[in-house]
Amino acid sequence: MNVVLIGYRGTGKSTVGKLVAERLGRVLVSTDVEIVKLAVQNIPEIVEQHGWEYFRDLETKICQDLAGRDGVVIDTGGGAILRSQNVEGLKRTGKLFWLTAPVETIAKRIGADTQRPSLTGTKSFLEEIQDVLRERTPKYQAATDYIIETDGKSATQVADEILARL
């Protein structure tokens, strides 16, 4: 069984994923890292040259590949839940943990991130987070097996919570 972390950017998936993988003696696989390896480009370059749809196609390929593995910790990109085939594949072989945080916390955590282009291109930073979360929340809710609030908790506390639910 895989441990799959879903949620918006800045909710702690990468940091917590490292701790969970370490404690379970498993490999951590990041869908974003795998996309970059596959495309041989960073995410802003992929989106600028090919668009978001192409990025999502690569993400789906990676999610399908990972669904065929067992015993890994998977740190998904925030939009992995946008395609039902990603969720279905990941759920087949894993438990999905939705890491959540308030908009303000997310904004503080990702404010300096230059590796993710704007999803909307037209809104302020805070408005984009709010709008994208509003759109994705029902999809996260439908996909998840467990909801883990990360605000005000250390990465170790979040990892402990995940491990306790396994």
Side-chain angles (χ1 to χ4, degrees), residues 21-143:
E22 185 179 288
R23 305 245 306 265
L24 292 173
R26 295 183 181 185
V27 172
L28 172 67
V29 183
S30 163
T31 58
D32 283 350
V33 169
E34 295 303 309
I35 290 166
V36 168
K37 282 188 208 170
L38 183 62
V40 195
Q41 291 180 297
N42 66 37
I43 293 170
E45 290 169 339
I46 295 168
V47 172
E48 184 180 316
Q49 291 178 20
H50 307 285
W52 275 111
E53 194 64 22
Y54 178 77
F55 174 85
R56 297 288 173 220
D57 291 344
L58 295 176
E59 184 174 59
T60 295
K61 180 189 179 340
I62 298 299
C63 286
Q64 295 304 310
D65 291 349
L66 290 173
R69 294 182 63 182
D70 186 43
V72 294
V73 176
I74 303 169
D75 160 22
T76 66
I81 47 79
L82 294 175
R83 291 192 176 173
S84 61
Q85 64 263 44
N86 295 348
V87 173
E88 290 161 9
L90 294 168
K91 282 184 92 64
R92 239 187 344 268
T93 55
K95 290 290 181 198
L96 276 62
F97 292 84
W98 175 24
L99 304 189
T100 67
V103 171
E104 298 74 23
T105 299
I106 291 170
K108 258 195 298 191
R109 291 177 180 171
I110 67 172
D113 182 2
T114 59
Q115 288 307 299
R116 288 301 264 204
S118 171
L119 294 166
T120 63
T122 58
K123 300 190 164 93
S124 76
F125 184 58
L126 271 179
E127 286 174 328
E128 178 174 289
I129 295 169
Q130 291 168 329
D131 287 354
V132 172
L133 271 177
R134 193 174 306 115
E135 172 199 333
R136 291 182 182 175
T137 293
K139 293 179 185 297
Y140 288 129
Q141 287 170 328

Side-chain angles (χ1 to χ4, degrees), residues 1-6 12-29 71-75 95-97 99 148 150 154-166:
M1 181 190 66
N2 297 323
V3 176
V4 183
L5 305 178
I6 63 173
K13 297 183 307 284
S14 299
T15 303
V16 170
K18 287 177 193 164
L19 293 172
V20 170
E22 185 179 288
R23 305 245 306 265
L24 292 173
R26 295 183 181 185
V27 172
L28 172 67
V29 183
V72 294
V73 176
I74 303 169
D75 160 22
K95 290 290 181 198
L96 276 62
F97 292 84
L99 304 189
I148 310 285
T150 65
S154 70
T156 301
Q157 289 171 315
V158 175
D160 288 343
E161 203 170 322
I162 290 169
L163 293 168
R165 294 187 183 190
L166 283 176

